[in-house]
Amino acid sequence: MADPNSSKTALFGGIAANVGIAVSKFVAAYFTGSSAMLSEGIHSLVDSGNGVLLLYGIRQSQKPADKRHPFGRSKEQYFWGLIVAVLIFAIGGGMSFYEGIKHILDPEPLTDPLWNYIVLGVAILFEGWAFWLAAKALRQAGSGTGLSFWGQLRTSKDPAVFASVLENLAALVGLVLALLGVYFGHALNNPYFDGGASVAIGLLLMLVAVFLVSRTRSLLVGTGVDDATIDSVMRLVGQQPGVEQVRPPLTMYLGPTDVVLALDVDFHDHLSAVEVEQAVAAMQDTLRTKHPEFKRIFVEAKSLTEKSRDTVQPTNQVTPQI
C-alpha cells in the first residue's frame, strides 16, 4: 500500500534538490554558453514545479467527501499527475529540444567548461539522493507484492511516487547526456555535440511524459485491481459461511489507497434476512482486513431461489427489495 508520508518525503526532497540545481545550472549556462546546461536548468526548474503540483494533488485528494463529491476527491492525484506529464512534455521536453536545434543551427563556441563539470557533478549527487528517496517510497508501496523494481513502477497506482521516480531517473540520465555533450564538444572542438545533447535530453523528457500520460489516463478513465487481488477476493468471499456462489467482482481505483468493490453473491436459500446481513458484515470485515484499500464495499446479496433480493450498503445495513 502507498504511504502518503513517504510520497511527500520523496517530493519534498526532489523539490529541494531541483531548486538548488536549477539555479546552479542557469548560472553555469550563462557563463559558459552551454545549450545542454541550459536545457538541464529548464529540466530541473520544471521538475521543481511538478513536485509542487503533485503535493497539491495529494492535499486536494485528502479532502473529505461531501454532497458534490460523495466518493471523495482521491482522483485529484491522477488529474494533477496528468498535468505534470503535459508540462514535462511541453515545457521540459519542448524547450530542451528547441534549444538544442537552435544551437545546432547557430552553434556558439564554448568557454571554459570547468563550471559545467562542477555543477554537473554536484547535480548528479543531489539527483541521485532525490532518486533514492523516490525509489524508497516506491519499494515501500510495493512491499509484499513480490514484484521487481520495474514491475512496481509499471503497476504503481500512486502518481506522486511513479512520477517522482521517473522524473529523477530522467534527470540522472539527462545529466549524463549533458556531461557527455560538454566533454565531447570540448575534446573534439565541435559545438554540435552540445546542441545534440540538448536535443537528446528533450527527446528523453518527451518519452517520459508519454509514459506518464498513458499511466495517468488509464487511472483517470478507471482501472481495476490486478488479477491476483481479484482471485484473493473471490477466494475470501467463497470461504464465508452461507455463500453458495460469487461472481467476478467489479473494482475501480479512486486513488492510490482508495478502491471501490462491488460484489454479486448468492447465499444459501435457507438463510434469513438477518443471517444474510450478518454474513455480509463478516465478509466485509474479512475483506478489509486482507485488503484495506477497499474503502467502499457494495454487496448485492440474493438467495438461489430468488425469493429475496437484498442490496447491502457500505454501512453493513441490508435493505430488502420486493
Side-chain angles (χ1 to χ4, degrees):
M1 295 298 296
D3 182 1
N5 291 327
S6 62
S7 301
K8 290 181 180 179
T9 299
L11 290 174
F12 279 121
I15 292 171
N18 284 314
V19 168
I21 293 171
V23 173
S24 62
K25 287 176 180 177
F26 283 131
V27 172
Y30 175 79
F31 284 106
T32 63
S34 170
S35 171
M37 186 61 68
L38 179 61
S39 297
E40 275 298 303
I42 296 171
H43 181 188
S44 296
L45 191 63
V46 172
D47 283 352
S48 302
N50 290 341
V52 173
L53 290 179
L54 290 173
L55 283 173
Y56 179 75
I58 292 176
R59 180 180 177 183
Q60 291 294 103
S61 69
Q62 293 172 345
K63 290 185 176 180
D66 53 35
K67 291 182 179 180
R68 301 285 296 180
H69 306 89
F71 286 95
R73 303 179 66 170
S74 296
K75 284 200 173 186
E76 285 272 2
Q77 290 194 59
Y78 299 150
F79 171 77
W80 291 107
L82 181 64
I83 296 299
V84 163
V86 172
L87 290 177
I88 291 175
F89 186 93
I91 300 179
M95 292 189 67
S96 295
F97 189 86
Y98 168 77
E99 284 295 328
I101 295 297
K102 186 176 72 173
H103 279 72
I104 289 175
L105 296 177
D106 185 19
E108 298 178 4
L110 297 176
T111 58
D112 185 4
L114 178 62
W115 279 107
N116 282 343
Y117 293 137
I118 293 175
V119 171
L120 287 172
V122 173
I124 288 175
L125 293 177
F126 278 101
E127 289 289 4
W129 171 68
F131 175 73
W132 178 81
L133 289 176
K136 180 181 178 182
L138 179 67
R139 288 194 300 269
Q140 289 178 350
S143 61
T145 61
L147 295 174
S148 64
F149 175 82
W150 296 109
Q152 293 175 17
L153 187 61
R154 289 194 303 269
T155 58
S156 173
K157 302 300 187 297
D158 190 347
V161 173
F162 65 72
S164 182
V165 169
L166 286 174
E167 278 187 347
N168 289 296
L169 181 60
L172 283 173
V173 176
L175 287 168
V176 173
L177 292 174
L179 186 61
L180 292 174
V182 172
Y183 173 77
F184 284 109
H186 282 85
L188 302 177
N189 194 27
N190 188 342
Y192 291 108
F193 277 99
D194 186 61
S198 183
V199 170
I201 292 170
L203 292 175
L204 171 67
L205 294 177
M206 290 179 182
L207 288 175
V208 170
V210 169
F211 178 81
L212 289 176
V213 167
S214 175
R215 289 298 314 282
T216 52
R217 172 187 172 275
S218 65
L219 293 169
L220 273 173
V221 171
T223 187
V225 299
D226 54 49
D227 292 341
T229 304
I230 292 291
D231 293 340
S232 175
V233 169
M234 294 189 68
R235 183 176 63 255
L236 291 172
V237 174
Q239 293 172 350
Q240 297 298 307
V243 173
E244 180 69 21
Q245 183 182 13
V246 56
R247 293 168 181 80
L250 304 177
T251 64
M252 184 174 66
Y253 274 91
L254 298 180
T257 59
D258 187 357
V259 183
V260 173
L261 171 63
L263 292 167
D264 188 358
V265 183
D266 288 339
F267 287 91
H268 292 300
D269 55 2
H270 65 269
L271 295 180
S272 66
V274 174
E275 290 173 328
V276 170
E277 182 178 359
Q278 293 172 345
V280 168
M283 180 190 306
Q284 291 178 324
D285 292 339
T286 300
L287 288 171
R288 288 196 176 101
T289 299
K290 181 66 176 178
H291 300 284
E293 67 270 23
F294 292 133
K295 297 296 190 295
R296 299 167 181 83
I297 300 176
F298 299 88
V299 181
E300 183 176 354
K302 54 188 177 183
S303 69
L304 293 179
T305 59
E306 293 293 329
K307 291 181 178 179
S308 64
R309 184 178 181 88
D310 307 307
T311 300
V312 182
Q313 303 298 330
T315 56
N316 296 338
Q317 296 179 342
V318 179
T319 306
Q321 296 179 350
I322 305 299

